[in-house]
Amino acid sequence: MTLPLPKGAELRQDTSAFLSNGPKKLLINGEWMEPLDGETFPTYNPATGGEIVQVALAGEEDVSQAVHAARAAFEHGPWSKMSGEGRGRLLNKLADLIDEHADELAELETLDNGKPLRVSRRGDLPYTSLHFRYYAGWAGKLEGTTVPVSAPNQFVYTLRDPVGVVGLIIPWNFPLLMCAWKLAPALACGNTALLKPAEETPLTALRLGELILEAGFPEGVVNILTGPGEPTGAAIAAHMGVDKVAFTGSTAVGRKILQAAADSNLKKVSLELGGKSPNVIFADADVSRAIKGATWAAFSTAGQECVAGSRLFIEKPVYDQVIEGLVEQAKRMQVNHGFAEKVHIGPIISKLQLDRVMGYIEDGKANGVEIVTGGERLGGELAEGYFLEPTVFTHKEDSLSIVKEEIFGPVVAATPFESWEELVSRANQSRYGLAAGVWTKDVSKAHRFARDVQAGTVWVNGYGMFDPAAPFGGVKESGFGREMGKDALDLYTQVKTVWVGL
Ligand code: NAI
Ligand code: MG
């Protein structure tokens, strides 16, 4: 294992113990199991390119066993008889355990994903436990309604039933937090789950599995299946025994999942897919705050965020000022491995992903965009990892692929605009509609933009804020369904209507 630790530093003892206790197995029916055909795959450290550990690869048969366990737990196990209050108690217990082991989990996250340790520890981890607590609160409050109907002598009410066995397919950019986004509401509502972390970042999900057992969730309620999109993810999406799939990832895979649902049992699907979000700076904004906000919108998590503010629209009078400020901010950002003392952004997740990002930059250059800062892979001590400079480019053509496609790297397209009509039409000229940002001191303008922009979330004078209570999801090809908040309960329950003749 090659570690990117600062000189003299070591991994915590609990982290090392977790990593060295043998190849990582599958969690099926409350037990850690070898995959049936014994296959494993490596997970890598993106800061060094080195292998961390081998992890079990779940094949179709393993997926079927997990579905079987989840079905049994859903229909017959103690879970099926537990009250909402009881489920809430377990979720709170899990949240406590996550907090107790936050240092260890943050180290694992930074090792596997590359993001700065400070970000894992102060961002991903507290938000993960907060999610479990938020949905613990909902578990005992899943109310139906009474329905006044026109037919005489009928009493009608609704119940909120769990959906059943749910498949949760997770991306690598917020590995543990995305598990919480899906698992917390799924469990609060009484479902049983198959959790599939991304093949790039399986470690925190596996440690979470241990904590789930320690918290006392009954066997089969949460099953953890590590492996790549194919065969593991695809087998979940196609399985006749899975009642719902919740997915976060690329639009291309989102389509495949929808197709697999259509070709199998018409399982319910919710999709949180890509984005190419517009971030707008008006001339009447607090420009220096807007510049800092736009920098983080574009570059945090090395731009590997579905909501990255990757299309920056700048009103003409402040265009030069903003570009100058953005370049200065970008140059000041420390790109380094996540355990370094000075680090703002870590590596790109993989060689494949780095090559994709570089491909966009090369294509942009060949088509006349101007790179005003960045654009190069880092060498020297960082040459073995996948580090890229924060990159700002300007353009006139909105139709270039670097301008309209999701890059998922630290690359932002900056462009001037002059009129409201021009802004709204260009901002909405995207197949995506996940998020948008707007910076202005004019209250009406901010609300008008929020009304007119096609996006699932709009941030005014800020960017990238999240809370378990605030619903989140996309419009257009960014997907459908709303995670978080009360809305997520709709994804994991179905309404049953009961008619009683009086
Ligand atoms: P991906 O969509 O292939 O992977 C996301 C998850 O889906 C992983 O767990 C993967 O194993 C699984 N998966 C892959 N193929 C599958 C299949 N056929 N059936 C079921 N599950 C499958 O994304 P990838 O390749 O890691 O990244 C490619 C691009 O996707 C990125 O450049 C970015 O544009 C976008 N992306 C968006 C994310 C978001 O937060 N919306 C997160 C990750 C990637
Ligand atoms: Mg990894």
Side-chain angles (χ1 to χ4, degrees):
M1 187 189 349
T2 48
L3 292 177
L5 298 176
K7 273 202 178 63
E10 283 175 22
L11 284 181
R12 296 168 52 87
Q13 229 173 9
D14 42 14
T15 313
S16 306
F18 172 74
L19 291 175
S20 56
N21 71 0
K24 299 293 151 226
K25 298 181 185 169
L26 308 171
L27 179 60
I28 299 178
N29 206 24
E31 280 181 55
W32 294 100
M33 317 262 280
E34 306 267 3
L36 287 170
D37 62 8
E39 256 199 89
T40 63
F41 67 99
T43 182
Y44 298 101
N45 180 337
T48 62
E51 178 179 326
I52 306 172
V53 280
Q54 287 284 324
V55 178
L57 193 160
E60 276 180 34
E61 283 301 309
D62 301 300
V63 170
S64 280
Q65 287 212 350
V67 173
H68 190 74
R71 175 65 55 197
F74 181 71
E75 287 179 2
H76 314 296
W79 181 251
S80 64
K81 298 176 190 74
M82 200 179 282
S83 66
E85 186 272 333
R87 296 195 301 272
R89 206 141 21 100
L90 284 174
L91 287 165
N92 272 321
K93 181 86 200 297
L94 178 59
D96 289 342
L97 287 169
I98 290 165
D99 286 342
E100 241 170 74
H101 294 276
D103 289 327
E104 178 195 351
L105 286 161
E107 266 192 5
L108 283 175
E109 201 75 306
T110 291
L111 204 56
D112 215 5
N113 165 283
K115 66 176 68 188
L117 184 61
R118 197 186 60 255
V119 173
S120 301
R121 184 63 186 85
R122 296 195 195 157
D124 297 54
L125 260 297
Y127 273 102
T128 297
S129 58
L130 196 61
H131 261 86
F132 284 106
R133 286 185 212 291
Y134 174 82
Y135 283 103
W138 274 117
K141 305 183 184 76
L142 301 169
E143 295 176 347
T145 54
T146 56
V147 185
V149 292
S150 50
N153 287 322
Q154 296 289 332
F155 172 53
V156 180
Y157 64 91
T158 63
L159 298 171
R160 268 189 183 270
D161 288 341
V163 179
V165 174
V166 300
L168 313 175
I169 301 180
I170 309 294
W172 43 261
N173 52 349
F174 295 87
L176 184 63
L177 184 58
M178 291 299 112
C179 291
W181 277 27
K182 294 183 176 16
L183 202 50
L187 297 177
C189 295
N191 300 282
T192 59
L194 315 183
L195 180 68
K196 193 203 89 63
E199 58 270 39
E200 292 84 355
T201 53
L203 295 179
T204 45
L206 291 167
R207 186 69 182 99
L208 180 70
E210 296 182 348
L211 299 180
I212 285 169
L213 296 182
E214 193 178 330
F217 282 87
E219 61 187 28
V221 171
V222 180
N223 303 275
I224 301 183
L225 300 164
T226 41
E230 286 169 34
T232 317
I236 294 171
H239 205 288
M240 294 296 287
V242 173
D243 300 303
K244 181 209 158 59
V245 167
F247 170 76
T248 296
S250 61
T251 295
V253 172
R255 276 181 219 284
K256 287 191 190 172
I257 286 173
L258 211 49
Q259 194 65 54
D263 292 343
S264 57
N265 58 344
L266 290 176
K267 54 179 65 66
K268 317 294 175 264
V269 174
S270 53
L271 301 174
E272 202 265 89
L273 308 174
K276 188 80 180 182
S277 298
N279 189 17
V280 180
I281 302 180
F282 280 102
D284 62 8
D286 176 339
V287 174
S288 76
R289 264 192 68 193
I291 289 169
K292 287 194 183 119
T295 306
W296 281 105
F299 302 137
S300 71
T301 322
Q304 302 169 109
E305 287 186 7
C306 50
V307 297
S310 50
R311 287 188 296 148
L312 184 60
F313 291 91
I314 308 161
E315 204 172 11
K316 200 77 180 278
V318 293
Y319 180 73
D320 291 338
Q321 184 191 351
V322 170
I323 295 291
E324 205 176 293
L326 200 62
V327 168
E328 191 192 312
Q329 292 287 324
K331 286 193 168 145
R332 242 197 252 164
M333 294 202 115
Q334 293 273 344
V335 183
N336 209 337
H337 65 75
F339 291 96
E341 289 192 359
K342 285 204 174 136
V343 54
H344 296 114
I345 51 182
I348 305 285
I349 192 69
S350 64
K351 177 72 172 44
L352 178 71
Q353 195 65 19
L354 177 72
D355 289 344
R356 268 185 205 153
V357 178
M358 293 306 293
Y360 278 111
I361 294 175
E362 293 313 321
D363 183 71
K365 280 185 189 162
N367 284 288
V369 309
E370 193 197 342
I371 307 284
V372 288
T373 183
E376 301 290 334
R377 181 175 180 180
L378 274 76
E381 287 192 347
L382 299 178
E384 292 187 343
Y386 315 121
F387 296 89
L388 180 61
E389 292 173 334
T391 303
V392 180
F393 72 91
T394 58
H395 65 97
K396 300 212 169 57
E397 261 320 312
D398 285 348
S399 60
L400 302 175
S401 56
I402 190 173
V403 179
K404 66 179 190 188
E405 287 169 26
E406 180 173 58
I407 297 178
F408 237 60
V411 182
V412 59
T415 185
F417 72 91
E418 288 184 80
S419 73
W420 182 264
E421 290 68 31
E422 178 202 347
L423 169 69
V424 170
S425 113
R426 290 176 67 198
N428 286 338
Q429 217 173 79
S430 172
R431 64 187 181 112
Y432 296 118
L434 194 56
V438 56
W439 301 80
T440 173
K441 285 184 186 152
D442 180 337
V443 170
S444 299
K445 206 189 273 177
H447 285 292
R448 199 160 5 117
F449 183 75
R451 181 195 63 190
D452 290 350
V453 72
Q454 296 164 353
T457 295
V458 183
W459 289 293
V460 178
N461 294 331
Y463 203 95
M465 286 81 73
F466 285 93
D467 189 277
F472 175 78
V475 302
K476 302 200 275 186
E477 291 179 40
S478 292
F480 47 81
R482 291 293 174 268
E483 300 194 290
M484 297 196 277
K486 193 181 180 189
D487 292 63
L489 305 174
D490 293 338
L491 301 183
Y492 296 99
T493 56
Q494 43 202 358
V495 170
K496 180 187 279 167
T497 307
V498 184
W499 291 71
V500 184
L502 299 178

